[in-house]
Structures are given as structure tokens and as C-alpha cells.
Amino acid sequence: MIGTDGDQLVAAGGPAIILVEPQLGENIGMVARAMANFGLEDLRLVNPRDGWPSEKARAAASRADHVIDAVRLFGSVEEAVADLTYVLATTARSRDSQKPVRGPKSACAQLRGRITAGQPTGILFGRERFGLSNEEVGLADEIVTFPVNPAFASLNIAQAVLLMSYEWMQSSSDDAETPRFAPIEADPAEKGDLHRLLDHTEVLLDRLGYFRPPERRVALSEKLRTTLTKANFSRMEVHALHGVLRHVEHRLDGDGE
């Protein structure tokens, strides 16, 4: 891609930027502009409040039309990350989740290594007013948070995307402290496959009476999903676990010896 001044821009690629229920078209446009500044192009929107397309977004994007034109819409976070194998959730708040927490530099080094290995990745950004829900953070592999003033930790969406996009570009520098990853022997599972495994597991556990008492169901389900998400299963492992669950179901139905 060539810039308007003839300079060579960063090649297309990098993590998907996923905005969850963004409210204002102007904010989406400023996110697109920040992404274009640092060579990112894959912008995904989950239920934008004011609909799509948005002329306000295009105007605020300041000629980052290639990002605006390629925007994809999704009805849920699960759908937006289904084709990805590694997802970061951005948050300024401490969470009860036991997921690993990284700063922007470490997070982008991790993204760089995984993308170099051919793995599709993404970063979740929450709503302008209250960020991501605990359930949405639970869909990610790790958390990334910014080293800001704890007395005023709130960033708007465009600022947060700009910081991560900048660190993404910095991670490509020759002198960046980018880890050298060993070749990955097994393809990691896509999030869509993992979510189906989690649903399958919950259905089976329901049959076995695991979620008791009823008022503890949500907490038990969240802990189970967090544990299984942290395992970083490969595609083959997810398929194998589906086979195990089907075998248990057959025994419960009296179909097996």
C-alpha cells in the first residue's frame, strides 16, 4: 500500500480490532484512522448502536476509507471472534478472572509471534460507558491493560486502539524485544469450535446434575469456561474432547457396553 506522499506504508495484516457495541459513528471513524496510522485494517463491529454504514464514521476516519469499507458486522462477540485462535480483552478494571494480564508491549509481542506463526488474532475493546462485561472478557485468552494514572484510568476507544496499534507497529522493529517462538506443532482451535465444546460440556453436566444449587449455576459456568479457555486447546484436542463427551452421552443413554 502506498501513502499519499509516496511513502511505503506498513503491509496489511495484524490483529483484528473488535469494537463491542460502539455508540458513536465518530468514535468508530477515529478508531479506523488510528488503525490506518499503524497498518491495521481488520475492523469488526458488534452491534453498533447507531447502525452501519455511517457517514459520521467515514468523515471522522480522515481518508482511512479502506478500513471503513472493509468493516464487518457481527451480532455477538462470540461470532466476531469465532475464526480467531488468540484473543486479548482490554480493560482498565481489575477482574475476578484468573486469566493472564499483560501490558501493551508484552501483548503485542505475543500477537506478533502468533501472527508470524500463521495464527489469526484479535483484540476486544468495550463500550464507551462501561467497557466489556465479565462474560465477554471470559471469551478472551488473556487481558491487556494500560499503565495509566490509577486515579483516572478511563481511555476512550480511539485512544485505546491507538495505543495498541502503536505498540503493534513497534513490535516489528528490529530492536524490539519480540520473543522467538518455537514452531507450533498443532493448530490451535478456532474460538467457534471451543465455544461449541463449552456448550457441549454444559449440556452434559446439566444431565449429570452438576449445576447445583441452581443459584450457583452462573458462577459455576463462568469458572468452567474460564478453566477450559485457559487450556489453549489445539483443534485436534477439541475434537477429541467432543468424542469423550459423546461417549459419556452414549453410556448415559444406554447405547454402550
Side-chain angles (χ1 to χ4, degrees):
M1 185 183 304
I2 303 297
T4 55
D5 60 356
D7 291 336
Q8 187 73 26
L9 296 182
V10 175
I17 301 298
I18 305 153
L19 307 186
V20 180
E21 298 182 357
Q23 295 181 14
L24 300 175
E26 292 90 339
N27 287 345
I28 298 171
M30 288 187 285
V31 164
R33 180 178 182 177
M35 291 171 61
N37 285 153
F38 298 101
L40 298 178
E41 296 186 352
D42 187 355
L43 178 56
R44 308 180 183 192
L45 307 180
V46 178
N47 295 325
R49 186 191 68 179
D50 294 341
W52 194 261
S54 167
E55 288 307 313
K56 290 182 178 179
R58 186 176 296 277
S62 188
R63 294 183 295 181
D65 292 335
H66 61 291
V67 178
I68 294 295
D69 291 338
V71 163
R72 286 185 281 171
L73 299 181
F74 296 88
S76 69
V77 176
E78 288 190 357
E79 293 172 2
V81 304
D83 63 325
L84 308 178
T85 63
Y86 176 75
V87 176
L88 291 166
T90 60
T91 181
R93 294 184 286 117
S94 176
R95 306 276 181 159
D96 294 333
S97 173
Q98 297 180 356
K99 293 181 183 295
V101 180
R102 296 180 181 272
K105 186 180 295 293
S106 172
C108 287
Q110 183 74 201
L111 289 168
R112 179 72 61 178
R114 289 177 179 270
I115 289 173
T116 298
Q119 300 179 27
T121 68
I123 312 171
L124 287 173
F125 295 86
R127 302 157 187 82
E128 288 94 331
R129 292 181 59 190
F130 59 89
L132 297 168
S133 69
N134 287 338
E135 182 180 15
E136 289 159 351
V137 171
L139 296 173
D141 296 282
E142 298 186 354
I143 290 171
V144 58
T145 191
F146 304 108
V148 294
N149 177 7
F152 194 73
S154 177
L155 294 173
N156 68 38
I157 294 177
Q159 289 173 325
V161 172
L162 182 69
L163 283 172
M164 289 301 294
S165 300
Y166 171 79
E167 290 294 349
W168 163 255
M169 176 173 277
Q170 287 295 101
S171 71
S172 68
S173 301
D174 292 337
D175 58 350
E177 296 180 3
T178 305
R180 296 295 183 262
F181 284 82
I184 296 175
E185 297 181 2
D187 292 333
E190 291 184 350
K191 294 303 177 188
D193 289 339
L194 178 59
H195 297 158
R196 284 187 284 274
L197 174 65
L198 296 173
D199 292 341
H200 193 178
T201 302
E202 286 197 5
V203 169
L204 180 57
L205 290 176
D206 253 336
R207 293 187 61 185
L208 294 171
Y210 174 75
F211 296 111
R212 294 179 182 174
E215 59 269 22
R216 293 267 301 151
R217 180 188 174 90
V218 172
L220 291 171
S221 174
E222 286 184 355
K223 288 182 179 179
L224 175 65
R225 286 177 174 263
T226 294
T227 299
L228 293 178
T229 301
K230 287 170 62 178
N232 195 26
F233 290 126
S234 70
R235 184 180 304 169
M236 291 182 61
E237 288 169 338
V238 166
H239 291 168
L241 288 171
H242 271 300
V244 171
L245 297 179
R246 283 192 292 270
H247 180 76
V248 174
E249 288 174 328
H250 291 161
R251 293 298 295 266
L252 288 175
D253 295 335
D255 295 337
E257 289 294 331

